């Protein structure tokens, strides 16, 4: 085991104190920086959540309107377009020439 002299202990102590002082200067102002970044991230998250809530409200409204339209369509089956040609079925049943009917 090594035995240190008094001079060596003083040098070790001074190096340790110098390290503490340099470290304190390097980290000065870091407390403000992380708080500002935290607040910015918090504001960003709140904006994203508000946008998502607005979009979700719009999605729910569209979904309820879609469900209401489907329920309304089930009540009036003649107004539905089952063959998908864009013309209601009631119009598909009419003859092309009304004089021949």
């Amino acid at each position: 085991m090594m035995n240190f002299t008094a001079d060596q202990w003083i040098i070790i102590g001074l190096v340790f104190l110098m390290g503490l002082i340099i470290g304190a200067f390097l980290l000065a102002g870091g407390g403000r920086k992380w708080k500002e970044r935290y607040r910015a991230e918090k504001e960003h998250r709140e904006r994203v959540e508000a946008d998502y809530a607005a979009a979700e409200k719009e999605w729910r409204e569209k979904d309820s309107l879609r469900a209401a339209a489907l329920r309304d369509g089930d009540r009036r089956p003649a107004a539905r377009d089952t063959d998908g040609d864009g013309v209601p079925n009631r119009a598909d049943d009419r003859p092309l020439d009304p004089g021949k009917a």
Side-chain angles (χ1 to χ4, degrees):
M1 179 142 195
M2 295 178 67
N3 293 328
F4 291 113
T5 64
D7 292 341
Q8 291 173 331
W9 279 113
I10 291 173
I11 291 172
I12 291 172
L14 288 174
V15 169
F16 178 73
L17 286 175
M18 187 174 73
L20 285 177
I21 292 170
I22 289 174
F25 279 120
L26 288 176
L27 295 177
R32 264 193 324 263
K33 290 179 187 176
W34 75 263
K35 286 180 186 177
E36 289 173 8
R37 284 185 295 224
Y38 172 75
R39 287 186 187 118
E41 178 65 27
K42 184 178 176 184
E43 290 171 2
H44 175 69
R45 182 181 46 83
E46 288 172 354
R47 282 194 310 266
V48 168
E49 287 177 357
D51 290 344
Y52 181 77
E56 184 179 12
K57 182 179 178 183
E58 184 178 335
W59 297 333
R60 288 181 187 273
E61 183 179 338
K62 285 182 180 180
D63 192 40
S64 74
L65 290 174
R66 188 178 304 118
L70 287 174
R71 277 183 271 140
D72 187 38
D74 289 341
R75 284 189 226 136
R76 298 183 307 168
R80 290 192 330 202
D81 180 25
T82 56
D83 55 359
D85 63 352
V87 179
N89 290 339
R90 202 179 293 168
D92 288 339
D93 294 338
R94 284 188 239 134
L96 296 176
D97 188 6
K100 293 184 180 180

